Amino acid sequence: METTRPLPVLLALLAVATAAGCGGGPEPAAVASPAPTTEPPRQENPRSSLAARAAAAEDSSVVATYTLTEGGGTPRAVIVTLATDRSWRVDIAGGAMGGLADVSVAVNGQGLFQCALPSETRPVSPVCIRVADPDGTLPKHIDPRVQHAFTDWRAVLTDRDAPLSVSLAKPVADGISGQCYAVESTYASLDAPLDTGIYCYNETGVLTGAKLSFGTLALAQTPVTGPGTITLPGPVTTGPALGMATPPPRTATPSAGTQAGG
């Protein structure tokens, strides 16, 4: 007589046979996919960044007002006009005669000019002296130097082969926008192609601040679009240009009846 096995026992035997027929053993563990890697953001080269920002102003035409501060002195106004035809004019309060005279340095198609400007302390008639050809330079004794930061020094900053060392820097004053760069010359001689110091530019190529040998420049208000060409502040005349040194004090002329030592 055949013995009938209970159903639970048959199911248990079937499970054992199925496991044996499939080779048995534990299921292989799932292999985790490697996590995607993210490259760190590339750091912009300060030299290339400065050159690009300085070059952005090559074809710009703006009128911008700055303050110029020397040490703890009272800020003076500097007005920069860069015209579409590449003529330019930089008006500098206290820019000559040891700070006693306001001057303008300008270039147009006719030449390089230094112009005397009227002020409250020196109410002269504005006149201009032609100093050199348009591509000439001012002699050192009549050069206020401020205009270089907006003209020929910008060309040096744009030249990536110029002998310069550039690194990022902090703003030269409160409220300065854009990126600031510390610029040093790698020239062995003292005749550097520009003032070493700190230059700050925004992305459109506007100089927003600078700390240089003649003082600290800070953009005072939003620039406006410049003219097609500059206008000289006065007629062109002959005569000596204003020097940078403070003139000696005037000596009193003795009266006709005064005796020497009397």
Side-chain angles (χ1 to χ4, degrees), residues 26-221:
E27 291 279 340
V31 179
S33 300
T37 58
T38 302
E39 294 185 3
R42 297 180 62 183
Q43 296 295 325
E44 192 172 15
N45 181 277
R47 178 66 183 276
S48 298
S49 174
L50 173 58
R53 293 189 182 221
E58 287 290 327
D59 298 317
S60 63
S61 174
V62 299
V63 177
T65 301
Y66 296 81
T67 58
L68 172 61
T69 307
E70 298 178 69
T74 302
R76 298 181 282 131
V78 173
I79 302 176
V80 178
T81 302
L82 305 176
T84 304
D85 65 354
R86 295 185 179 272
S87 61
W88 55 263
R89 170 180 161 182
V90 180
D91 298 352
I92 308 160
M97 298 175 63
L100 300 178
D102 296 357
V103 293
S104 178
V105 180
V107 163
N108 60 19
Q110 284 69 53
L112 168 64
F113 301 87
Q114 189 216 59
C115 305
L117 301 176
S119 65
E120 292 182 2
T121 58
R122 194 170 177 270
V124 299
S125 297
V127 292
C128 297
I129 306 297
R130 186 182 185 277
V131 180
D133 292 335
D135 58 352
T137 58
L138 289 175
K140 289 185 178 180
H141 71 282
I142 63 171
D143 187 358
R145 295 182 65 78
V146 179
Q147 76 281 356
H148 295 292
F150 306 96
T151 56
D152 53 306
W153 288 351
R154 188 179 65 193
V156 179
L157 297 176
T158 304
D159 182 4
R160 305 191 188 203
D161 294 326
L164 302 176
S165 172
V166 180
S167 59
L168 299 181
K170 295 180 179 180
V172 297
D174 293 338
I176 297 296
S177 62
Q179 178 61 61
C180 297
Y181 306 85
V183 178
E184 297 181 2
S185 174
T186 58
Y187 254 8
S189 69
L190 297 178
D191 190 19
L194 80 173
D195 257 16
T196 59
I198 298 175
Y199 295 79
C200 304
Y201 283 91
N202 65 17
E203 292 183 351
T204 62
V206 173
L207 184 75
T208 58
K211 188 173 185 179
L212 305 167
S213 66
F214 51 78
T216 299
L217 284 165
L219 186 65
Q221 55 188 332

